[in-house]
Amino acid sequence: MNKKAIISCIIIVLAIIALFYINSINKADAEIPLINYNLQQGNKNYNEITDNINQQKYQEASDKINNTMTYYENARYSTQKALNKTIKENDSILTEYFKHTTEEIDLKIQSLEEIQKGIGDVNSNNLQSSKEHFKKSNQLIQNTSQYTIERNNLEKQHLDKFIS
């Protein structure tokens, strides 16, 4: 009888631990490290792309675009998952945070698309059009700063949401 009671207690404790673990994995803020990693890698690559363009190394810039796009799309996917979770959890702070993150990522993706068009125009000797695409790309990337600022402000104002 004691063995059955001990085994039952162990099973109950393990079930409770598993429940807490599963709940923590399913929380929206669990996505933040993955989002940040993909954003950081995408930003690093993006900076290398712009350096290559400034040095007129268009092929090298072009070679990095797909990899960079993958990082941003992964960040976008994780952000959307987290946003959906925060909406279900009625967490207005994290919902706002992830909406800003989504808007920032979308602008970065659009900026990359403009760079890609610009490089295509360089390759077809349409230099005026390429300059317009590069200019638009620059404007889009500059617009991302507003969302970064908003996210940083939310992090500062609600430390409890972002420090685990």
Side-chain angles (χ1 to χ4, degrees):
M1 189 71 143
N2 281 340
K3 283 185 176 181
K4 287 183 180 180
I6 292 173
I7 292 173
S8 295
C9 287
I10 290 173
I11 290 173
I12 290 172
V13 169
L14 290 175
I16 291 171
I17 291 171
L19 184 63
F20 281 118
Y21 179 73
I22 290 169
N23 282 339
S24 70
I25 287 175
N26 287 329
K27 292 209 176 257
D29 58 352
E31 298 289 334
I32 292 174
L34 184 58
I35 294 166
N36 287 339
Y37 171 79
N38 281 301
L39 276 175
Q40 288 168 354
Q41 293 303 310
N43 292 344
K44 178 181 167 240
N45 283 0
Y46 186 94
N47 291 334
E48 291 172 10
I49 290 168
T50 58
D51 287 344
N52 286 328
I53 289 171
N54 290 334
Q55 297 170 18
Q56 297 181 346
K57 297 178 179 177
Y58 300 111
Q59 186 56 50
E60 291 170 17
S62 184
D63 292 344
K64 280 204 165 292
I65 288 176
N66 287 338
N67 193 23
T68 307
M69 189 67 82
T70 299
Y71 282 121
Y72 286 148
E73 288 172 348
N74 288 342
R76 178 71 164 81
Y77 174 77
S78 296
T79 302
Q80 190 60 50
K81 273 180 31 181
L83 178 59
N84 292 342
K85 290 176 186 177
T86 62
I87 290 170
K88 286 179 185 174
E89 296 168 1
N90 291 320
D91 188 331
S92 62
I93 302 302
L94 286 177
T95 297
E96 185 177 353
Y97 179 87
F98 290 121
K99 281 182 179 179
H100 291 313
T101 305
T102 300
E103 291 163 340
E104 177 182 339
I105 295 167
D106 287 345
L107 286 176
K108 289 179 178 186
I109 290 172
Q110 290 172 27
S111 179
L112 269 179
E113 290 168 346
E114 289 297 323
I115 288 173
Q116 202 164 31
K117 290 175 188 175
I119 291 171
D121 285 345
V122 166
N123 292 336
S124 62
N125 289 323
N126 191 349
L127 299 181
Q128 184 58 37
S129 180
S130 69
K131 287 180 185 178
E132 292 300 318
H133 286 296
F134 294 147
K135 183 178 177 183
K136 173 123 188 202
S137 170
N138 190 43
Q139 290 169 342
L140 288 166
I141 212 67
Q142 286 177 359
N143 290 340
T144 65
S145 64
Q146 69 183 332
Y147 299 112
T148 304
I149 291 168
E150 290 294 328
R151 288 188 311 125
N152 289 340
N153 287 340
L154 284 170
E155 288 174 7
K156 289 177 188 172
Q157 293 169 2
H158 305 280
L159 287 175
D160 58 311
K161 296 277 186 185
F162 299 98
I163 297 176
S164 46

